[in-house]
Amino acid sequence: YTSAFEDCTHLTEIVIPDNVMYIYSDAFYGCTLLKKVVIGNGVLEIGQYAFSGCPQLSDLTLGASLKDIAFNAFSGTSIPSLVLPESLEFLGNNAFNSCKSLESVKIGNRLEKIGDNAFEKCANLTDLTIGSGVVTIGTSAFKGCTHLTEVTIPDNVMYIYSDAFYGCTSLNKVELGSGVLEIGQYAFSSCKSLAEFYAKPSSAPSLGYNVFDKSPISSIFVPTASLADYQSKWSSYSSYLKGYNF
């Protein structure tokens, strides 16, 4: 039920059995001493704010059948690493926002959209693997991930929405997959270490305004055969464009 164990402030460990299918909203919200959660293999959905307000949660096991993580489900927890199961189809907005101990994230291949602000302010995130099924990276999805140094965008990604990597101050290299059609405003703005940007699409993606604002980018490598197209469509950055054989 909703808020079933909300504010059980002395609860330290939970094992959800395999016969449970749904964890509803706020189910364990505010369990301030909760450190370990094991989600059974029968669980399909985790509701909004289900484990939010659990700042000591540092040991999380997700079940193999999980399809839906709602918004803010684990925001503000202390999870150090995260492997999202291959079964996952929906990742809600702010799902892991402000998980400041999170260092490693691996996203499964069935998920199509990374929700808005899903990993915003995960300041210690350094290792990111985006699944091959992802089509959309939501607004501010990785905003303020200040320890992230490299990002590889898979070929299946088509849309990178506004502010997606805004303020990733340690980000120095980006590899853009061949399928990207659109990069939103400020997507790579205020990335104060960003020097190299590799864009594989054969046709230059559309750019929102100030995509690279306040980022010291010096080289944008694009397919040699498409250099003229990029020079036309990315005219604001024409001096940084260089042909490259991918």
Short mmCIF file of all heavy atoms in Angstrom, two decimals, residues 58-105:
data_model
loop_
_atom_site.label_atom_id
_atom_site.label_comp_id
_atom_site.label_asym_id
_atom_site.label_seq_id
_atom_site.Cartn_x
_atom_site.Cartn_y
_atom_site.Cartn_z
N SER A 58 22.47 2.21 1.12
CA SER A 58 23.72 2.05 0.37
C SER A 58 23.89 0.67 -0.25
O SER A 58 24.84 0.44 -0.99
CB SER A 58 24.92 2.33 1.29
OG SER A 58 24.91 1.46 2.41
N ASP A 59 22.97 -0.23 0.03
CA ASP A 59 23.07 -1.60 -0.50
C ASP A 59 21.72 -1.93 -1.14
O ASP A 59 20.74 -2.19 -0.45
CB ASP A 59 23.40 -2.56 0.63
CG ASP A 59 23.69 -3.97 0.14
OD1 ASP A 59 23.40 -4.28 -1.04
OD2 ASP A 59 24.20 -4.78 0.95
N LEU A 60 21.70 -1.91 -2.49
CA LEU A 60 20.44 -2.12 -3.22
C LEU A 60 20.60 -3.23 -4.24
O LEU A 60 21.51 -3.21 -5.06
CB LEU A 60 20.03 -0.83 -3.93
CG LEU A 60 18.81 -0.92 -4.87
CD1 LEU A 60 17.54 -1.23 -4.09
CD2 LEU A 60 18.66 0.37 -5.68
N THR A 61 19.69 -4.20 -4.19
CA THR A 61 19.62 -5.25 -5.20
C THR A 61 18.27 -5.16 -5.89
O THR A 61 17.22 -5.22 -5.23
CB THR A 61 19.78 -6.65 -4.57
OG1 THR A 61 21.03 -6.72 -3.88
CG2 THR A 61 19.72 -7.73 -5.63
N LEU A 62 18.29 -4.98 -7.22
CA LEU A 62 17.06 -4.87 -7.99
C LEU A 62 16.72 -6.22 -8.62
O LEU A 62 17.60 -6.91 -9.14
CB LEU A 62 17.20 -3.81 -9.08
CG LEU A 62 17.43 -2.37 -8.59
CD1 LEU A 62 17.70 -1.45 -9.77
CD2 LEU A 62 16.23 -1.87 -7.80
N GLY A 63 15.43 -6.58 -8.62
CA GLY A 63 15.00 -7.85 -9.18
C GLY A 63 15.08 -7.90 -10.69
O GLY A 63 15.09 -6.88 -11.38
N ALA A 64 15.08 -9.13 -11.22
CA ALA A 64 15.29 -9.36 -12.64
C ALA A 64 14.07 -9.08 -13.51
O ALA A 64 14.18 -9.08 -14.74
CB ALA A 64 15.76 -10.79 -12.86
N SER A 65 12.90 -8.84 -12.89
CA SER A 65 11.68 -8.60 -13.66
C SER A 65 11.22 -7.15 -13.64
O SER A 65 10.19 -6.81 -14.23
CB SER A 65 10.53 -9.48 -13.12
OG SER A 65 10.86 -10.85 -13.21
N LEU A 66 11.98 -6.30 -12.99
CA LEU A 66 11.57 -4.92 -12.78
C LEU A 66 11.40 -4.17 -14.10
O LEU A 66 12.31 -4.15 -14.93
CB LEU A 66 12.60 -4.20 -11.90
CG LEU A 66 12.29 -2.78 -11.47
CD1 LEU A 66 11.01 -2.72 -10.64
CD2 LEU A 66 13.47 -2.20 -10.69
N LYS A 67 10.23 -3.53 -14.29
CA LYS A 67 9.95 -2.82 -15.54
C LYS A 67 9.84 -1.31 -15.36
O LYS A 67 10.08 -0.57 -16.30
CB LYS A 67 8.64 -3.34 -16.16
CG LYS A 67 8.74 -4.75 -16.69
CD LYS A 67 7.45 -5.15 -17.41
CE LYS A 67 7.60 -6.55 -18.03
NZ LYS A 67 6.38 -6.93 -18.80
N ASP A 68 9.50 -0.86 -14.17
CA ASP A 68 9.13 0.54 -14.00
C ASP A 68 9.68 1.07 -12.68
O ASP A 68 9.36 0.55 -11.61
CB ASP A 68 7.59 0.64 -14.02
CG ASP A 68 7.08 2.07 -14.01
OD1 ASP A 68 7.73 2.94 -13.42
OD2 ASP A 68 6.00 2.30 -14.58
N ILE A 69 10.52 2.11 -12.77
CA ILE A 69 10.96 2.85 -11.59
C ILE A 69 10.40 4.25 -11.72
O ILE A 69 10.76 5.00 -12.64
CB ILE A 69 12.50 2.89 -11.48
CG1 ILE A 69 13.07 1.47 -11.33
CG2 ILE A 69 12.93 3.74 -10.28
CD1 ILE A 69 14.59 1.41 -11.30
N ALA A 70 9.51 4.62 -10.84
CA ALA A 70 8.80 5.90 -10.94
C ALA A 70 9.66 7.06 -10.45
O ALA A 70 10.77 6.87 -9.91
CB ALA A 70 7.50 5.83 -10.14
N PHE A 71 9.14 8.27 -10.63
CA PHE A 71 9.95 9.45 -10.32
C PHE A 71 10.26 9.55 -8.83
O PHE A 71 9.47 9.19 -7.98
CB PHE A 71 9.29 10.73 -10.84
CG PHE A 71 8.01 11.16 -10.19
CD1 PHE A 71 8.02 11.93 -9.04
CD2 PHE A 71 6.79 10.83 -10.75
CE1 PHE A 71 6.85 12.36 -8.45
CE2 PHE A 71 5.60 11.26 -10.17
CZ PHE A 71 5.62 12.02 -9.01
N ASN A 72 11.50 9.98 -8.60
CA ASN A 72 12.02 10.18 -7.24
C ASN A 72 12.05 8.91 -6.40
O ASN A 72 12.17 8.97 -5.17
CB ASN A 72 11.22 11.25 -6.49
CG ASN A 72 11.65 12.66 -6.85
OD1 ASN A 72 12.75 13.10 -6.55
ND2 ASN A 72 10.78 13.37 -7.56
N ALA A 73 12.01 7.75 -7.02
CA ALA A 73 11.92 6.51 -6.26
C ALA A 73 13.09 6.32 -5.32
O ALA A 73 12.93 5.82 -4.19
CB ALA A 73 11.82 5.32 -7.21
N PHE A 74 14.29 6.69 -5.76
CA PHE A 74 15.49 6.49 -4.93
C PHE A 74 16.28 7.80 -4.76
O PHE A 74 17.46 7.76 -4.41
CB PHE A 74 16.40 5.45 -5.57
CG PHE A 74 15.82 4.06 -5.59
CD1 PHE A 74 15.14 3.58 -6.70
CD2 PHE A 74 15.95 3.21 -4.49
CE1 PHE A 74 14.60 2.30 -6.73
CE2 PHE A 74 15.40 1.93 -4.50
CZ PHE A 74 14.72 1.48 -5.63
N SER A 75 15.66 8.92 -4.96
CA SER A 75 16.38 10.19 -4.88
C SER A 75 16.96 10.42 -3.49
O SER A 75 16.33 10.11 -2.48
CB SER A 75 15.45 11.35 -5.25
OG SER A 75 14.31 11.39 -4.41
N GLY A 76 18.20 10.90 -3.47
CA GLY A 76 18.85 11.24 -2.21
C GLY A 76 19.38 10.08 -1.40
O GLY A 76 19.78 10.26 -0.25
N THR A 77 19.41 8.89 -1.98
CA THR A 77 19.97 7.74 -1.27
C THR A 77 21.50 7.70 -1.44
O THR A 77 22.08 8.53 -2.15
CB THR A 77 19.35 6.43 -1.78
OG1 THR A 77 19.60 6.31 -3.19
CG2 THR A 77 17.85 6.40 -1.52
N SER A 78 22.14 6.73 -0.79
CA SER A 78 23.61 6.64 -0.80
C SER A 78 24.11 5.42 -1.56
O SER A 78 25.17 4.87 -1.25
CB SER A 78 24.13 6.61 0.64
OG SER A 78 23.86 7.83 1.30
N ILE A 79 23.37 5.01 -2.58
CA ILE A 79 23.77 3.86 -3.39
C ILE A 79 25.09 4.17 -4.10
O ILE A 79 25.21 5.19 -4.77
CB ILE A 79 22.68 3.56 -4.43
CG1 ILE A 79 21.33 3.30 -3.76
CG2 ILE A 79 23.07 2.39 -5.32
CD1 ILE A 79 20.16 3.39 -4.70
N PRO A 80 26.11 3.29 -3.98
CA PRO A 80 27.40 3.57 -4.62
C PRO A 80 27.50 3.12 -6.06
O PRO A 80 28.27 3.68 -6.85
CB PRO A 80 28.39 2.79 -3.75
CG PRO A 80 27.60 1.64 -3.23
CD PRO A 80 26.19 2.13 -3.06
N SER A 81 26.73 2.10 -6.44
CA SER A 81 26.76 1.62 -7.82
C SER A 81 25.38 1.08 -8.19
O SER A 81 24.62 0.67 -7.32
CB SER A 81 27.83 0.53 -8.02
OG SER A 81 27.53 -0.61 -7.24
N LEU A 82 25.10 1.09 -9.49
CA LEU A 82 23.76 0.74 -9.94
C LEU A 82 23.82 0.02 -11.27
O LEU A 82 24.41 0.52 -12.23
CB LEU A 82 22.94 2.03 -10.09
CG LEU A 82 21.50 1.90 -10.57
CD1 LEU A 82 20.65 1.16 -9.55
CD2 LEU A 82 20.91 3.29 -10.83
N VAL A 83 23.23 -1.16 -11.31
CA VAL A 83 23.04 -1.89 -12.57
C VAL A 83 21.54 -2.02 -12.77
O VAL A 83 20.86 -2.75 -12.03
CB VAL A 83 23.71 -3.28 -12.54
CG1 VAL A 83 23.42 -4.03 -13.85
CG2 VAL A 83 25.21 -3.14 -12.33
N LEU A 84 21.00 -1.30 -13.73
CA LEU A 84 19.57 -1.39 -14.01
C LEU A 84 19.31 -2.64 -14.83
O LEU A 84 19.97 -2.88 -15.84
CB LEU A 84 19.11 -0.14 -14.77
CG LEU A 84 19.20 1.16 -13.98
CD1 LEU A 84 18.83 2.35 -14.86
CD2 LEU A 84 18.31 1.12 -12.74
N PRO A 85 18.35 -3.47 -14.43
CA PRO A 85 18.14 -4.76 -15.10
C PRO A 85 17.70 -4.62 -16.55
O PRO A 85 17.11 -3.61 -16.94
CB PRO A 85 17.05 -5.42 -14.24
CG PRO A 85 16.34 -4.29 -13.57
CD PRO A 85 17.38 -3.24 -13.34
N GLU A 86 17.99 -5.65 -17.33
CA GLU A 86 17.61 -5.65 -18.74
C GLU A 86 16.11 -5.54 -18.93
O GLU A 86 15.64 -5.14 -19.98
CB GLU A 86 18.14 -6.90 -19.42
CG GLU A 86 19.66 -6.94 -19.58
CD GLU A 86 20.17 -5.85 -20.51
OE1 GLU A 86 19.48 -5.51 -21.49
OE2 GLU A 86 21.26 -5.32 -20.25
N SER A 87 15.35 -5.91 -17.92
CA SER A 87 13.88 -5.87 -18.02
C SER A 87 13.32 -4.46 -17.95
O SER A 87 12.17 -4.23 -18.33
CB SER A 87 13.28 -6.70 -16.88
OG SER A 87 13.73 -6.21 -15.62
N LEU A 88 14.10 -3.49 -17.48
CA LEU A 88 13.57 -2.16 -17.19
C LEU A 88 13.15 -1.43 -18.47
O LEU A 88 13.93 -1.30 -19.42
CB LEU A 88 14.61 -1.32 -16.45
CG LEU A 88 14.07 -0.03 -15.83
CD1 LEU A 88 13.16 -0.34 -14.65
CD2 LEU A 88 15.21 0.88 -15.37
N GLU A 89 11.91 -0.91 -18.47
CA GLU A 89 11.35 -0.22 -19.62
C GLU A 89 11.06 1.25 -19.34
O GLU A 89 10.90 2.03 -20.28
CB GLU A 89 10.06 -0.91 -20.08
CG GLU A 89 10.28 -2.35 -20.54
CD GLU A 89 8.98 -3.05 -20.88
OE1 GLU A 89 7.90 -2.45 -20.67
OE2 GLU A 89 9.04 -4.20 -21.36
N PHE A 90 10.95 1.63 -18.08
CA PHE A 90 10.62 3.01 -17.74
C PHE A 90 11.45 3.47 -16.55
O PHE A 90 11.48 2.80 -15.51
CB PHE A 90 9.14 3.14 -17.40
CG PHE A 90 8.72 4.54 -17.02
CD1 PHE A 90 8.44 5.48 -17.98
CD2 PHE A 90 8.64 4.91 -15.69
CE1 PHE A 90 8.08 6.78 -17.63
CE2 PHE A 90 8.29 6.20 -15.32
CZ PHE A 90 8.00 7.14 -16.30
N LEU A 91 12.13 4.61 -16.72
CA LEU A 91 12.89 5.22 -15.65
C LEU A 91 12.38 6.64 -15.47
O LEU A 91 12.57 7.50 -16.34
CB LEU A 91 14.39 5.23 -15.98
CG LEU A 91 15.31 5.82 -14.91
CD1 LEU A 91 15.26 5.00 -13.63
CD2 LEU A 91 16.75 5.90 -15.43
N GLY A 92 11.71 6.89 -14.37
CA GLY A 92 11.02 8.16 -14.17
C GLY A 92 11.93 9.33 -13.89
O GLY A 92 13.13 9.19 -13.58
N ASN A 93 11.35 10.51 -13.98
CA ASN A 93 12.07 11.75 -13.70
C ASN A 93 12.59 11.74 -12.26
O ASN A 93 11.91 11.28 -11.34
CB ASN A 93 11.17 12.96 -13.90
CG ASN A 93 10.66 13.08 -15.32
OD1 ASN A 93 11.17 12.43 -16.23
ND2 ASN A 93 9.65 13.91 -15.51
N ASN A 94 13.81 12.21 -12.08
CA ASN A 94 14.42 12.36 -10.75
C ASN A 94 14.61 11.03 -10.02
O ASN A 94 14.83 11.01 -8.80
CB ASN A 94 13.59 13.29 -9.86
CG ASN A 94 13.57 14.71 -10.35
OD1 ASN A 94 14.55 15.44 -10.25
ND2 ASN A 94 12.45 15.13 -10.92
N ALA A 95 14.56 9.93 -10.73
CA ALA A 95 14.57 8.62 -10.07
C ALA A 95 15.76 8.43 -9.13
O ALA A 95 15.61 7.86 -8.04
CB ALA A 95 14.55 7.50 -11.11
N PHE A 96 16.93 8.89 -9.55
CA PHE A 96 18.13 8.77 -8.71
C PHE A 96 18.79 10.14 -8.51
O PHE A 96 19.99 10.23 -8.31
CB PHE A 96 19.11 7.78 -9.35
CG PHE A 96 18.60 6.37 -9.37
CD1 PHE A 96 17.90 5.89 -10.48
CD2 PHE A 96 18.79 5.52 -8.29
CE1 PHE A 96 17.41 4.58 -10.51
CE2 PHE A 96 18.31 4.21 -8.31
CZ PHE A 96 17.62 3.75 -9.42
N ASN A 97 18.00 11.17 -8.54
CA ASN A 97 18.51 12.53 -8.36
C ASN A 97 19.21 12.67 -7.01
O ASN A 97 18.74 12.16 -5.99
CB ASN A 97 17.32 13.50 -8.43
CG ASN A 97 17.75 14.96 -8.52
OD1 ASN A 97 18.57 15.42 -7.75
ND2 ASN A 97 17.16 15.68 -9.46
N SER A 98 20.34 13.36 -7.03
CA SER A 98 21.08 13.70 -5.80
C SER A 98 21.55 12.48 -5.02
O SER A 98 21.66 12.52 -3.79
CB SER A 98 20.23 14.60 -4.89
OG SER A 98 19.90 15.80 -5.56
N CYS A 99 21.86 11.40 -5.73
CA CYS A 99 22.51 10.24 -5.10
C CYS A 99 24.01 10.51 -5.13
O CYS A 99 24.72 10.09 -6.07
CB CYS A 99 22.15 8.95 -5.84
SG CYS A 99 20.42 8.48 -5.67
N LYS A 100 24.49 11.21 -4.14
CA LYS A 100 25.83 11.79 -4.19
C LYS A 100 26.94 10.79 -3.95
O LYS A 100 28.13 11.11 -4.12
CB LYS A 100 25.91 12.97 -3.22
CG LYS A 100 24.97 14.09 -3.63
CD LYS A 100 25.05 15.30 -2.74
CE LYS A 100 24.12 16.39 -3.25
NZ LYS A 100 24.13 17.60 -2.41
N SER A 101 26.60 9.55 -3.57
CA SER A 101 27.62 8.49 -3.43
C SER A 101 27.70 7.63 -4.69
O SER A 101 28.58 6.76 -4.78
CB SER A 101 27.30 7.61 -2.22
OG SER A 101 27.32 8.35 -1.03
N LEU A 102 26.82 7.85 -5.64
CA LEU A 102 26.74 7.00 -6.82
C LEU A 102 27.93 7.24 -7.73
O LEU A 102 28.14 8.34 -8.23
CB LEU A 102 25.43 7.28 -7.57
CG LEU A 102 25.06 6.34 -8.71
CD1 LEU A 102 24.94 4.90 -8.23
CD2 LEU A 102 23.75 6.79 -9.35
N GLU A 103 28.72 6.18 -7.96
CA GLU A 103 29.93 6.27 -8.77
C GLU A 103 29.81 5.57 -10.12
O GLU A 103 30.49 5.94 -11.08
CB GLU A 103 31.13 5.69 -8.01
CG GLU A 103 31.46 6.45 -6.73
CD GLU A 103 32.64 5.83 -5.99
OE1 GLU A 103 33.18 4.81 -6.46
OE2 GLU A 103 33.03 6.38 -4.95
N SER A 104 28.97 4.55 -10.19
CA SER A 104 28.89 3.73 -11.39
C SER A 104 27.44 3.43 -11.74
O SER A 104 26.66 3.03 -10.87
CB SER A 104 29.66 2.42 -11.19
OG SER A 104 29.50 1.55 -12.28
N VAL A 105 27.08 3.63 -13.03
CA VAL A 105 25.73 3.35 -13.51
C VAL A 105 25.82 2.58 -14.82
O VAL A 105 26.50 3.00 -15.75
CB VAL A 105 24.92 4.64 -13.73
CG1 VAL A 105 23.59 4.33 -14.42
CG2 VAL A 105 24.67 5.35 -12.40
#
